[in-house]
């Protein structure tokens, strides 16, 4: 412990940095680009598979319902549920 308080102490000598491999970074970047490309082409693939525009809009929103999905019944009409 006394050696760490001496005048000639270099804290860099206590730490050994490991350089990250660039292969992991390249693979992660490629996976990210693939996901972005998949999202951009997603609507076109769904249309080609025969999904309706309403289903495609729901997929683009992430599948969660919000206020725009509520269909209000008019006076004298039956409710959906």
């Amino acid at each position: 412990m006394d050696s760490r308080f001496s005048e000639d102490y270099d804290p860099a000598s206590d730490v050994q940095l490991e350089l990250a491999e660039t292969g992991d970074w390249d693979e992660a970047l490629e996976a990210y680009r693939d996901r972005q490309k998949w999202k951009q082409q997603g609507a076109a693939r769904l249309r080609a598979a025969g999904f309706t525009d309403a289903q495609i809009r729901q997929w683009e929103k992430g599948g969660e319902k919000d206020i725009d999905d509520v269909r209000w019944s008019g006076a004298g009409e039956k409710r959906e549920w």
Side-chain angles (χ1 to χ4, degrees):
M1 185 157 172
D2 291 334
S3 66
R4 295 189 180 176
F5 292 103
S6 68
E7 301 262 339
D8 57 346
Y9 171 68
D10 181 19
S13 65
D14 282 348
V15 180
Q16 294 180 0
L17 299 176
E18 295 181 23
L19 299 176
E21 294 182 28
T22 58
D24 293 339
W25 173 254
D26 292 337
E27 290 174 14
L29 183 60
E30 183 179 350
Y32 175 75
R33 288 180 178 160
D34 288 343
R35 281 193 302 273
Q36 294 302 317
K37 185 178 178 182
W38 180 81
K39 285 181 181 180
Q40 289 173 350
Q41 296 175 347
R45 286 194 338 263
L46 290 175
R47 257 187 218 94
F51 286 88
T52 65
D53 287 336
Q55 290 171 324
I56 293 171
R57 280 192 301 272
Q58 189 71 20
W59 174 80
E60 288 173 341
K61 290 192 308 184
E64 296 184 17
K65 293 186 177 188
D66 59 5
I67 191 71
D68 296 331
D69 297 324
V70 176
R71 184 181 166 278
W72 298 98
S73 61
E77 291 182 4
K78 288 187 177 181
R79 295 180 179 156
E80 282 185 14
W81 42 273

